[in-house]
Every structure is written in structure tokens, then in C-alpha cells.
Amino acid sequence: SWFELKVINFNNHKFQISKEGILFWFDKQIAIIADLHLEKGSSFGPSGQFLPPYDSEETLKKILNTIKDHKIKKIILLGDTFHDKNAISRMSEKVTFLFRSLIEKYEVIFILGNHESKFEIGQINFLNEYVIDDIHFIHEALHTSVFQISGHFHPVATVKSNIKKITAKCLLHTNNHIILPSFGTYTGGLNINDPALKPFVNHKSYVYMLTKKSIYKFTSKEVEI
């Protein structure tokens, strides 16, 4: 199948974002994905809020299907892969099978997210950060000058087109930061104008909006502030 990919030059390396929200580093055969929040759907059951509990299956299938046509050996998951400490125990057989096939087929690096920080999940080894060629893979962006690729904020952006406004998940690329959109099926978003994201947005920032059809690149000025 055919994927549209937009090229992002970052610290003298070439990355490509897919409309699904996966960042590819083809030179290293790596796929980078943020904030799956697996089993978020099933976490609402006990509180009386009902969401169909199929989010994990959909999320994992989407990853496996999107990367299978590319020569990928390693996956870096940027934290909040699991929605809470009991996520694995709530996984259905089908989800467990999909998750196992992911970690058996690829070398998966798990970065520790804030949803995971207080517990151990199975045999998974969580890292606070992972560094390749001076690029730091972390969960939440830091106000430092090192090159970093992170998730956590679930960025979304809004643009006006003629008469309607479009809001979509986005990747934010600015100076020494790439902040990825959340990949999970049920994850909400934080507008890039939110005070939490403001420090990472400037006039040199680029916003890649991801829709079902395509990827649209804007400067931060073109995105509604």
C-alpha cells in the first residue's frame, strides 16, 4: 500500500511522518510512536462510563499494518504506552496476541511515561530516555538545548479553510524539538496554543497536521493562535 510521508530534517538527520502519526527514521530502520494509552477504553468500565473496549486492538493493528511495508527493525515507544498499571491484565486474548507479535517481531524500546511511572508492567524494561546520535527520545519535552523527540502533550492544531475550521492531531517541529501526536485511538488532544505547549512554539516552528487523507505542513503563524 502507498503512504504519503513528509520529510523533516532534524539535527542533520532525515525523519518522515506518516498521516497515521508514526515518525520513521529509515536510515536506522526505526519507527517512533507516542502515547498509545493501551486499554484506556477498558479503564472506564468500573466507573460507569462506557467506551467500546476495542481501542487497544485498533491501535496495535494500525501500528502493525502501517509499518509492515517498511524495513523497520526497531520501534521506540515514547511513553504512556499503557493507560494504567492494570492495563496488561485487562487485555483480551486478541490484544495480548497483537502486543506479543509486536514485541517479538521488532526490538521495542519502552520510554517511561507519566501513566507508567509508579509501577512495573510484566517483564517490560522502561527507560527514562534513549539516545541515538545525540537525539534524546523522552516522554515529555524539556527546556534544554539538547535535540529531543517526545510525546506526552497530544498536540492538536486548528486552521481555517474558507468557511470551516479544521482541528487535527499534529506533529510540532521547532528548533531542537519534535513533539509527536498521540497515536492511541481514544486519546484527546491539547491545542498547540495551550500554555503548556506555548514555550515550545515560536515563529520558526512547523506544524504538520495529520488527517485521514493527508499531511499538511504549516508555519506556526498560519495555525490559528
PDB file of all heavy atoms in Angstrom, residues 141-165:
ATOM      1  N   ALA A 141       8.820  16.790  26.713  1.00  0.00           N
ATOM      2  CA  ALA A 141       9.836  17.748  26.274  1.00  0.00           C
ATOM      3  C   ALA A 141      10.412  18.524  27.458  1.00  0.00           C
ATOM      4  O   ALA A 141       9.685  18.908  28.378  1.00  0.00           O
ATOM      5  CB  ALA A 141       9.225  18.721  25.271  1.00  0.00           C
ATOM      6  N   LEU A 142      11.720  18.747  27.408  1.00  0.00           N
ATOM      7  CA  LEU A 142      12.410  19.502  28.453  1.00  0.00           C
ATOM      8  C   LEU A 142      12.924  20.817  27.877  1.00  0.00           C
ATOM      9  O   LEU A 142      13.235  20.903  26.697  1.00  0.00           O
ATOM     10  CB  LEU A 142      13.622  18.703  28.966  1.00  0.00           C
ATOM     11  CG  LEU A 142      13.339  17.344  29.597  1.00  0.00           C
ATOM     12  CD1 LEU A 142      14.641  16.585  29.810  1.00  0.00           C
ATOM     13  CD2 LEU A 142      12.590  17.505  30.919  1.00  0.00           C
ATOM     14  N   HIS A 143      13.005  21.830  28.744  1.00  0.00           N
ATOM     15  CA  HIS A 143      13.513  23.124  28.293  1.00  0.00           C
ATOM     16  C   HIS A 143      15.032  23.119  28.322  1.00  0.00           C
ATOM     17  O   HIS A 143      15.657  23.835  29.086  1.00  0.00           O
ATOM     18  CB  HIS A 143      12.976  24.244  29.190  1.00  0.00           C
ATOM     19  CG  HIS A 143      11.485  24.328  29.168  1.00  0.00           C
ATOM     20  ND1 HIS A 143      10.787  24.904  28.133  1.00  0.00           N
ATOM     21  CD2 HIS A 143      10.554  23.876  30.040  1.00  0.00           C
ATOM     22  CE1 HIS A 143       9.491  24.816  28.373  1.00  0.00           C
ATOM     23  NE2 HIS A 143       9.324  24.185  29.520  1.00  0.00           N
ATOM     24  N   THR A 144      15.612  22.262  27.504  1.00  0.00           N
ATOM     25  CA  THR A 144      17.068  22.236  27.405  1.00  0.00           C
ATOM     26  C   THR A 144      17.411  22.296  25.925  1.00  0.00           C
ATOM     27  O   THR A 144      16.536  22.113  25.067  1.00  0.00           O
ATOM     28  CB  THR A 144      17.660  20.943  28.007  1.00  0.00           C
ATOM     29  OG1 THR A 144      17.162  19.836  27.245  1.00  0.00           O
ATOM     30  CG2 THR A 144      17.295  20.762  29.467  1.00  0.00           C
ATOM     31  N   SER A 145      18.680  22.524  25.637  1.00  0.00           N
ATOM     32  CA  SER A 145      19.059  22.708  24.232  1.00  0.00           C
ATOM     33  C   SER A 145      19.403  21.405  23.520  1.00  0.00           C
ATOM     34  O   SER A 145      19.772  21.424  22.361  1.00  0.00           O
ATOM     35  CB  SER A 145      20.232  23.678  24.150  1.00  0.00           C
ATOM     36  OG  SER A 145      21.289  23.177  24.925  1.00  0.00           O
ATOM     37  N   VAL A 146      19.286  20.267  24.203  1.00  0.00           N
ATOM     38  CA  VAL A 146      19.584  19.007  23.503  1.00  0.00           C
ATOM     39  C   VAL A 146      18.472  18.699  22.504  1.00  0.00           C
ATOM     40  O   VAL A 146      17.320  19.119  22.687  1.00  0.00           O
ATOM     41  CB  VAL A 146      19.764  17.799  24.477  1.00  0.00           C
ATOM     42  CG1 VAL A 146      20.928  18.025  25.420  1.00  0.00           C
ATOM     43  CG2 VAL A 146      18.489  17.485  25.234  1.00  0.00           C
ATOM     44  N   PHE A 147      18.822  17.971  21.458  1.00  0.00           N
ATOM     45  CA  PHE A 147      17.816  17.565  20.475  1.00  0.00           C
ATOM     46  C   PHE A 147      16.962  16.460  21.089  1.00  0.00           C
ATOM     47  O   PHE A 147      17.484  15.475  21.602  1.00  0.00           O
ATOM     48  CB  PHE A 147      18.491  17.072  19.194  1.00  0.00           C
ATOM     49  CG  PHE A 147      18.984  18.205  18.352  1.00  0.00           C
ATOM     50  CD1 PHE A 147      20.270  18.711  18.523  1.00  0.00           C
ATOM     51  CD2 PHE A 147      18.148  18.804  17.426  1.00  0.00           C
ATOM     52  CE1 PHE A 147      20.714  19.779  17.765  1.00  0.00           C
ATOM     53  CE2 PHE A 147      18.588  19.873  16.662  1.00  0.00           C
ATOM     54  CZ  PHE A 147      19.874  20.371  16.829  1.00  0.00           C
ATOM     55  N   GLN A 148      15.654  16.636  21.041  1.00  0.00           N
ATOM     56  CA  GLN A 148      14.784  15.662  21.690  1.00  0.00           C
ATOM     57  C   GLN A 148      13.515  15.406  20.888  1.00  0.00           C
ATOM     58  O   GLN A 148      12.962  16.304  20.251  1.00  0.00           O
ATOM     59  CB  GLN A 148      14.432  16.124  23.106  1.00  0.00           C
ATOM     60  CG  GLN A 148      14.139  17.593  23.226  1.00  0.00           C
ATOM     61  CD  GLN A 148      14.110  18.091  24.653  1.00  0.00           C
ATOM     62  OE1 GLN A 148      13.248  17.723  25.421  1.00  0.00           O
ATOM     63  NE2 GLN A 148      15.047  18.962  24.999  1.00  0.00           N
ATOM     64  N   ILE A 149      13.111  14.160  20.920  1.00  0.00           N
ATOM     65  CA  ILE A 149      11.855  13.733  20.291  1.00  0.00           C
ATOM     66  C   ILE A 149      11.003  13.177  21.415  1.00  0.00           C
ATOM     67  O   ILE A 149      11.432  12.295  22.165  1.00  0.00           O
ATOM     68  CB  ILE A 149      12.114  12.700  19.180  1.00  0.00           C
ATOM     69  CG1 ILE A 149      12.945  13.356  18.055  1.00  0.00           C
ATOM     70  CG2 ILE A 149      10.800  12.149  18.634  1.00  0.00           C
ATOM     71  CD1 ILE A 149      13.278  12.433  16.894  1.00  0.00           C
ATOM     72  N   SER A 150       9.792  13.728  21.547  1.00  0.00           N
ATOM     73  CA  SER A 150       8.964  13.393  22.708  1.00  0.00           C
ATOM     74  C   SER A 150       7.488  13.316  22.328  1.00  0.00           C
ATOM     75  O   SER A 150       7.107  13.587  21.185  1.00  0.00           O
ATOM     76  CB  SER A 150       9.169  14.456  23.801  1.00  0.00           C
ATOM     77  OG  SER A 150       8.798  15.735  23.302  1.00  0.00           O
ATOM     78  N   GLY A 151       6.674  12.952  23.310  1.00  0.00           N
ATOM     79  CA  GLY A 151       5.224  12.866  23.128  1.00  0.00           C
ATOM     80  C   GLY A 151       4.529  13.658  24.224  1.00  0.00           C
ATOM     81  O   GLY A 151       4.711  14.854  24.347  1.00  0.00           O
ATOM     82  N   HIS A 152       3.717  12.982  25.009  1.00  0.00           N
ATOM     83  CA  HIS A 152       3.087  13.486  26.234  1.00  0.00           C
ATOM     84  C   HIS A 152       1.957  14.489  26.031  1.00  0.00           C
ATOM     85  O   HIS A 152       0.900  14.367  26.633  1.00  0.00           O
ATOM     86  CB  HIS A 152       4.146  14.086  27.175  1.00  0.00           C
ATOM     87  CG  HIS A 152       3.562  14.662  28.442  1.00  0.00           C
ATOM     88  ND1 HIS A 152       2.931  13.867  29.380  1.00  0.00           N
ATOM     89  CD2 HIS A 152       3.494  15.932  28.919  1.00  0.00           C
ATOM     90  CE1 HIS A 152       2.508  14.632  30.381  1.00  0.00           C
ATOM     91  NE2 HIS A 152       2.842  15.883  30.122  1.00  0.00           N
ATOM     92  N   PHE A 153       2.166  15.517  25.199  1.00  0.00           N
ATOM     93  CA  PHE A 153       1.190  16.606  25.123  1.00  0.00           C
ATOM     94  C   PHE A 153      -0.010  16.320  24.211  1.00  0.00           C
ATOM     95  O   PHE A 153      -0.983  17.059  24.244  1.00  0.00           O
ATOM     96  CB  PHE A 153       1.875  17.894  24.653  1.00  0.00           C
ATOM     97  CG  PHE A 153       2.799  18.495  25.676  1.00  0.00           C
ATOM     98  CD1 PHE A 153       4.177  18.508  25.479  1.00  0.00           C
ATOM     99  CD2 PHE A 153       2.298  19.059  26.845  1.00  0.00           C
ATOM    100  CE1 PHE A 153       5.038  19.066  26.422  1.00  0.00           C
ATOM    101  CE2 PHE A 153       3.149  19.623  27.791  1.00  0.00           C
ATOM    102  CZ  PHE A 153       4.519  19.625  27.582  1.00  0.00           C
ATOM    103  N   HIS A 154       0.080  15.305  23.363  1.00  0.00           N
ATOM    104  CA  HIS A 154      -1.002  15.004  22.408  1.00  0.00           C
ATOM    105  C   HIS A 154      -1.373  16.250  21.583  1.00  0.00           C
ATOM    106  O   HIS A 154      -2.531  16.663  21.555  1.00  0.00           O
ATOM    107  CB  HIS A 154      -2.280  14.520  23.129  1.00  0.00           C
ATOM    108  CG  HIS A 154      -2.104  13.355  24.039  1.00  0.00           C
ATOM    109  ND1 HIS A 154      -3.185  12.701  24.606  1.00  0.00           N
ATOM    110  CD2 HIS A 154      -1.011  12.700  24.496  1.00  0.00           C
ATOM    111  CE1 HIS A 154      -2.744  11.711  25.378  1.00  0.00           C
ATOM    112  NE2 HIS A 154      -1.428  11.694  25.321  1.00  0.00           N
ATOM    113  N   PRO A 155      -0.399  16.904  20.918  1.00  0.00           N
ATOM    114  CA  PRO A 155      -0.710  18.175  20.267  1.00  0.00           C
ATOM    115  C   PRO A 155      -1.749  18.084  19.143  1.00  0.00           C
ATOM    116  O   PRO A 155      -1.757  17.130  18.362  1.00  0.00           O
ATOM    117  CB  PRO A 155       0.646  18.627  19.704  1.00  0.00           C
ATOM    118  CG  PRO A 155       1.478  17.401  19.642  1.00  0.00           C
ATOM    119  CD  PRO A 155       0.996  16.503  20.738  1.00  0.00           C
ATOM    120  N   VAL A 156      -2.629  19.079  19.120  1.00  0.00           N
ATOM    121  CA  VAL A 156      -3.562  19.274  18.003  1.00  0.00           C
ATOM    122  C   VAL A 156      -3.470  20.740  17.584  1.00  0.00           C
ATOM    123  O   VAL A 156      -3.039  21.592  18.351  1.00  0.00           O
ATOM    124  CB  VAL A 156      -5.035  18.914  18.356  1.00  0.00           C
ATOM    125  CG1 VAL A 156      -5.171  17.463  18.771  1.00  0.00           C
ATOM    126  CG2 VAL A 156      -5.592  19.833  19.425  1.00  0.00           C
ATOM    127  N   ALA A 157      -3.877  21.018  16.341  1.00  0.00           N
ATOM    128  CA  ALA A 157      -3.859  22.396  15.847  1.00  0.00           C
ATOM    129  C   ALA A 157      -5.132  22.660  15.058  1.00  0.00           C
ATOM    130  O   ALA A 157      -5.800  21.728  14.596  1.00  0.00           O
ATOM    131  CB  ALA A 157      -2.632  22.631  14.973  1.00  0.00           C
ATOM    132  N   THR A 158      -5.463  23.938  14.925  1.00  0.00           N
ATOM    133  CA  THR A 158      -6.665  24.344  14.199  1.00  0.00           C
ATOM    134  C   THR A 158      -6.291  25.308  13.081  1.00  0.00           C
ATOM    135  O   THR A 158      -5.528  26.249  13.310  1.00  0.00           O
ATOM    136  CB  THR A 158      -7.661  25.043  15.158  1.00  0.00           C
ATOM    137  OG1 THR A 158      -7.960  24.143  16.226  1.00  0.00           O
ATOM    138  CG2 THR A 158      -8.966  25.402  14.449  1.00  0.00           C
ATOM    139  N   VAL A 159      -6.816  25.049  11.897  1.00  0.00           N
ATOM    140  CA  VAL A 159      -6.645  26.010  10.799  1.00  0.00           C
ATOM    141  C   VAL A 159      -8.013  26.360  10.240  1.00  0.00           C
ATOM    142  O   VAL A 159      -8.956  25.572  10.316  1.00  0.00           O
ATOM    143  CB  VAL A 159      -5.755  25.478   9.644  1.00  0.00           C
ATOM    144  CG1 VAL A 159      -4.314  25.382  10.065  1.00  0.00           C
ATOM    145  CG2 VAL A 159      -6.259  24.157   9.112  1.00  0.00           C
ATOM    146  N   LYS A 160      -8.110  27.564   9.669  1.00  0.00           N
ATOM    147  CA  LYS A 160      -9.348  27.974   8.998  1.00  0.00           C
ATOM    148  C   LYS A 160      -9.168  27.714   7.517  1.00  0.00           C
ATOM    149  O   LYS A 160      -8.156  28.112   6.936  1.00  0.00           O
ATOM    150  CB  LYS A 160      -9.572  29.474   9.216  1.00  0.00           C
ATOM    151  CG  LYS A 160     -10.356  29.833  10.444  1.00  0.00           C
ATOM    152  CD  LYS A 160     -10.875  31.273  10.287  1.00  0.00           C
ATOM    153  CE  LYS A 160     -11.709  31.687  11.481  1.00  0.00           C
ATOM    154  NZ  LYS A 160     -11.004  32.639  12.361  1.00  0.00           N
ATOM    155  N   SER A 161     -10.129  27.052   6.918  1.00  0.00           N
ATOM    156  CA  SER A 161     -10.077  26.923   5.459  1.00  0.00           C
ATOM    157  C   SER A 161     -11.399  27.453   4.919  1.00  0.00           C
ATOM    158  O   SER A 161     -12.450  26.901   5.208  1.00  0.00           O
ATOM    159  CB  SER A 161      -9.854  25.470   5.051  1.00  0.00           C
ATOM    160  OG  SER A 161     -11.057  24.749   5.055  1.00  0.00           O
ATOM    161  N   ASN A 162     -11.332  28.520   4.170  1.00  0.00           N
ATOM    162  CA  ASN A 162     -12.534  29.206   3.669  1.00  0.00           C
ATOM    163  C   ASN A 162     -13.520  29.445   4.803  1.00  0.00           C
ATOM    164  O   ASN A 162     -13.364  30.342   5.592  1.00  0.00           O
ATOM    165  CB  ASN A 162     -13.175  28.417   2.517  1.00  0.00           C
ATOM    166  CG  ASN A 162     -12.184  28.206   1.389  1.00  0.00           C
ATOM    167  OD1 ASN A 162     -11.287  29.026   1.207  1.00  0.00           O
ATOM    168  ND2 ASN A 162     -12.326  27.132   0.651  1.00  0.00           N
ATOM    169  N   ILE A 163     -14.531  28.578   4.885  1.00  0.00           N
ATOM    170  CA  ILE A 163     -15.557  28.841   5.891  1.00  0.00           C
ATOM    171  C   ILE A 163     -15.467  27.936   7.106  1.00  0.00           C
ATOM    172  O   ILE A 163     -16.044  28.219   8.136  1.00  0.00           O
ATOM    173  CB  ILE A 163     -16.983  28.720   5.278  1.00  0.00           C
ATOM    174  CG1 ILE A 163     -17.049  27.458   4.407  1.00  0.00           C
ATOM    175  CG2 ILE A 163     -17.339  29.975   4.500  1.00  0.00           C
ATOM    176  CD1 ILE A 163     -18.423  27.098   3.941  1.00  0.00           C
ATOM    177  N   LYS A 164     -14.755  26.828   6.966  1.00  0.00           N
ATOM    178  CA  LYS A 164     -14.766  25.940   8.128  1.00  0.00           C
ATOM    179  C   LYS A 164     -13.411  25.861   8.810  1.00  0.00           C
ATOM    180  O   LYS A 164     -12.367  26.112   8.217  1.00  0.00           O
ATOM    181  CB  LYS A 164     -15.283  24.546   7.759  1.00  0.00           C
ATOM    182  CG  LYS A 164     -14.489  23.809   6.731  1.00  0.00           C
ATOM    183  CD  LYS A 164     -15.102  22.424   6.525  1.00  0.00           C
ATOM    184  CE  LYS A 164     -14.257  21.654   5.517  1.00  0.00           C
ATOM    185  NZ  LYS A 164     -14.731  20.312   5.295  1.00  0.00           N
ATOM    186  N   LYS A 165     -13.471  25.492  10.071  1.00  0.00           N
ATOM    187  CA  LYS A 165     -12.247  25.280  10.846  1.00  0.00           C
ATOM    188  C   LYS A 165     -11.957  23.799  10.865  1.00  0.00           C
ATOM    189  O   LYS A 165     -12.861  22.985  10.994  1.00  0.00           O
ATOM    190  CB  LYS A 165     -12.459  25.737  12.294  1.00  0.00           C
ATOM    191  CG  LYS A 165     -12.409  27.217  12.506  1.00  0.00           C
ATOM    192  CD  LYS A 165     -12.527  27.475  14.002  1.00  0.00           C
ATOM    193  CE  LYS A 165     -12.533  28.974  14.295  1.00  0.00           C
ATOM    194  NZ  LYS A 165     -12.658  29.204  15.747  1.00  0.00           N
TER     195      LYS A 165
END
